[in-house]
């Protein structure tokens, strides 16, 4: 069995993959015990071709990150699954950090987060990601976990078209251990720049509150679609 499977859900991410895939492969060049899987939800910009050209395993799946990441996990051969967004760049030593952590104990985990470009508010948001509580988690921080845990939890809940990362991470916190690693993963702040930092964070907070008070996956998506997705 492969040691680590990196699973990247994509939809029209060709420009980002041109940087991300060589970056990941450069970090993995000392090992042949890892694989990169692109789970693509129907791109029209050549994402799949670029993924294949740059050495990734490419899957065509229905659209939706939960569906795509589950499909990637089903294809994966690794005993450790590492879910990574295409606009997030993990630290240079991500592979060794993950393996070193899992050699010490069985745990799920992520990295601290830094936004680029940043400002004071986004720097404060990034600082909060060092806190090991579910409220400070999100898919942009990436997620690693033992494959057997992912399978025991039943993977991502495909009813969620948004909030799928937080929903799974919430179940991980309730049933297993979770570790926040010190190195920072860098993610794009493009959406904050487009929509306004405080406005966007307000709507993200509303989504969290709606989920806390029992809103359905469909209700969360309707709110997100109205206030965030159609404004980007």
């Amino acid at each position: 069995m492969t040691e680590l499977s990196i699973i990247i859900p994509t939809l029209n991410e060709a420009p980002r993959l041109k940087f991300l895939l060589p970056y990941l492969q450069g970090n993995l060049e000392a090992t042949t015990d890892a694989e990169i899987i692109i789970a693509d939800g129907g791109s029209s910009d050549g994402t799949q071709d670029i993924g294949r050209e740059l050495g990734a395993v490419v899957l065509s799946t229905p659209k939706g990150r939960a569906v795509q990441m589950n499909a990637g996990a089903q294809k994966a051969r690794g005993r450790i699954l590492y879910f990574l967004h295409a606009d997030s760049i993990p630290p240079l030593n991500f592979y060794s950090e993950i393996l070193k952590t899992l050699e010490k104990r069985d745990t799920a985990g992520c990295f601290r987060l830094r936004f680029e470009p940043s400002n004071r508010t986004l720097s404060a948001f990034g600082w909060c990601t060092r806190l090991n509580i579910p409220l400070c988690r999100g898919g942009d921080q990436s997620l690693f976990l033992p494959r057997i845990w992912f399978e025991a939890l039943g993977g991502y809940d495909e009813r969620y078209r948004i909030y799928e990362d937080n929903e799974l991470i919430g179940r991980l916190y309730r049933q297993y251990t979770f570790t926040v690693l010190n190195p920072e993963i860098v993610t794009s702040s493009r959406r904050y720049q487009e929509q306004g930092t405080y406005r966007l964070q307000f709507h993200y907070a509303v989504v969290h509150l709606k989920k806390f008070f029992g809103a359905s996956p469909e209700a969360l998506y309707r709110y997100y679609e109205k206030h965030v997705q159609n404004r980007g």
Side-chain angles (χ1 to χ4, degrees):
M1 177 179 285
T2 300
E3 191 74 359
L4 180 73
S5 294
I6 303 170
I7 300 165
I8 307 171
T10 59
L11 183 63
N12 295 326
E13 298 286 6
R16 290 190 173 95
L17 288 186
K18 289 178 182 178
F19 173 82
L20 179 61
L21 291 181
Y23 175 89
L24 294 176
Q25 290 159 344
N27 277 267
L28 298 171
E29 63 184 1
T31 180
T32 58
D33 208 15
E35 63 180 356
I36 301 173
I37 298 173
I38 302 297
D40 187 69
S43 293
S44 58
D45 69 343
T47 288
Q48 293 192 22
D49 291 337
I50 289 170
R52 293 187 186 97
E53 290 169 7
L54 294 176
V57 175
V58 178
L59 307 177
S60 295
T61 78
K63 180 181 175 181
R65 272 183 173 162
V67 175
Q68 291 169 235
M69 291 188 287
N70 281 343
Q74 187 173 11
K75 180 71 173 180
R77 297 174 295 144
R79 72 174 185 90
I80 305 163
L81 303 180
Y82 182 46
F83 296 97
L84 178 68
H85 289 182
D87 61 354
S88 293
I89 309 299
L92 284 170
N93 56 346
F94 75 92
Y95 180 75
S96 60
E97 286 287 339
I98 291 171
L99 292 189
K100 182 172 63 177
T101 299
L102 285 168
E103 284 171 2
K104 295 177 182 177
R105 61 192 179 280
D106 287 333
T107 186
C110 67
F111 294 98
R112 295 182 185 181
L113 182 67
R114 185 173 84 249
F115 291 98
E116 290 292 347
S118 191
N119 56 40
R120 287 186 178 183
T121 302
L122 291 177
S123 293
F125 292 163
W127 185 94
C128 289
T129 62
R130 70 187 62 202
L131 303 176
N132 196 357
I133 56 176
L135 184 62
C136 294
R137 302 282 70 81
D140 289 335
Q141 295 170 252
S142 68
L143 173 67
F144 65 85
L145 75 165
R147 181 193 191 96
I148 58 173
W149 288 10
F150 183 83
E151 293 174 347
L153 288 170
Y156 287 91
D157 188 332
E158 296 183 3
R159 295 176 300 165
Y160 287 85
R161 287 188 281 175
I162 64 162
Y163 209 84
E164 69 287 331
D165 294 295
N166 299 79
E167 192 278 331
L168 175 61
I169 290 169
R171 286 186 279 142
L172 282 166
Y173 267 93
R174 290 192 292 272
Q175 297 188 43
Y176 299 107
T177 59
F178 199 96
T179 302
V180 181
L181 303 186
N182 288 330
E184 294 177 332
I185 189 170
V186 178
T187 195
S188 170
S189 61
R190 175 181 57 87
R191 179 155 273 170
Y192 283 99
Q193 292 179 304
E194 291 173 348
Q195 301 197 23
T197 299
Y198 295 110
R199 179 191 176 279
L200 185 58
Q201 194 61 31
F202 169 80
H203 290 304
Y204 284 161
V206 171
V207 169
H208 280 284
L209 283 172
K210 284 180 171 291
K211 177 63 169 62
F212 179 79
F213 287 110
S216 68
E218 293 77 15
L220 295 181
Y221 182 73
R222 284 196 301 270
Y223 181 90
Y224 179 86
E225 185 180 39
K226 178 179 179 180
H227 295 285
V228 178
Q229 182 170 281
N230 290 338
R231 298 293 186 96

